[in-house]
Amino acid sequence: MDLLAITRMVAILGLGLAVLGISLRLKDIMNRPFKKDLARERGSAWRGVLFAFTLGMAPWEKESTRIHWVAYLRGIFFHVGIFMAFGVLLVSPWLEKLPVWLTWLALGVTGLGAVFGFAGIFMRLAGPNERALSLPDDYASVFLSSMFITLAFATLLWNWVLPAFYLMTGILAAYIPLGKIRHCVYFFYSKFFFGLGFGKRGVLHPSKGKYAE
């Protein structure tokens, strides 16, 4: 068994551990008691959920992003870079067969993602508030994700980097259930219940009458 095959197995094992860990956490969440909201409905709960997953994520809908556009755009490029890196992982056995334009697109996205990922570590270290609030897990999560994107970028340029990319995939995937990266799952739960609760209460843009009844 050569190095490529070994590291591919490491990646598969890591992804398996990630699925197992996330599944156990989701099982724990779903077994928690659900307290029904007894307040009288004043709006549409499902319209609220729709808002939460669409316009509710727009930067102008949140004060934290309205006044911090640089940080918002850094996060967008970073997360898009992660998604593209996973795309590179999925097609890694056939990288040489990818169209040239698609390879260049993936290079651009992963390159920007890596730069903005490591920039996030710098911003945490440079900002006194961010530095005081950051835990070791914050740095570890951003570092592992940024390295994952960086190695995806390097793999697109040099095929011999692929074993390192697989190894990094295994490490990152195994860490997902343990660190803050698991918010990629919790995100959907939080958005759903945010929209459900606030939509039902009719408090999303009440001045515009958008959800109030």
Side-chain angles (χ1 to χ4, degrees), residues 49-182:
V49 172
L50 178 63
F51 173 81
F53 281 100
T54 53
L55 288 177
M57 293 190 288
W60 55 83
E61 291 293 338
K62 297 183 290 185
E63 182 181 5
S64 60
T65 52
R66 283 200 303 271
I67 60 178
H68 297 102
W69 275 90
V70 174
Y72 172 78
L73 291 175
R74 186 207 69 80
I76 290 296
F77 285 119
F78 177 45
H79 284 83
V80 171
I82 294 173
F83 290 129
M84 182 60 79
F86 272 107
V88 174
L89 176 65
L90 289 174
V91 301
S92 57
W94 310 281
L95 287 177
E96 295 180 353
K97 298 180 180 180
L98 291 179
V100 175
W101 68 268
L102 185 56
T103 300
W104 279 106
L105 175 63
L107 278 169
V109 174
T110 53
L112 282 174
V115 169
F116 284 107
F118 286 111
I121 297 177
F122 173 78
M123 291 172 67
R124 286 183 180 276
L125 292 171
N129 293 330
E130 292 85 346
R131 189 168 59 249
L133 293 171
S134 295
L135 299 173
D137 175 42
D138 293 301
Y139 294 106
S141 297
V142 177
F143 176 77
L144 290 175
S145 300
S146 301
M147 283 299 300
F148 175 65
I149 306 172
T150 301
L151 288 173
F153 173 82
T155 298
L156 290 166
L157 289 175
W158 307 290
N159 191 260
W160 56 266
V161 181
L162 189 54
F165 181 47
Y166 282 152
L167 181 61
M168 187 71 250
T169 298
I171 296 172
L172 173 70
Y175 187 76
I176 288 176
L178 306 175
K180 67 174 291 183
I181 306 176
R182 62 178 181 266

Side-chain angles (χ1 to χ4, degrees), residues 176-194:
I176 288 176
L178 306 175
K180 67 174 291 183
I181 306 176
R182 62 178 181 266
H183 75 269
C184 62
V185 175
Y186 295 154
F187 166 84
F188 297 97
Y189 279 83
S190 62
K191 281 291 180 183
F192 175 80
F193 285 107
F194 164 80

Side-chain angles (χ1 to χ4, degrees), residues 1-18 89 92-93 162-171 173-174:
M1 188 177 292
D2 59 12
L3 180 62
L4 183 62
I6 293 173
T7 53
R8 185 183 291 120
M9 291 301 298
V10 170
I12 294 172
L13 177 61
L15 291 169
L17 290 174
L89 176 65
S92 57
L162 189 54
F165 181 47
Y166 282 152
L167 181 61
M168 187 71 250
T169 298
I171 296 172

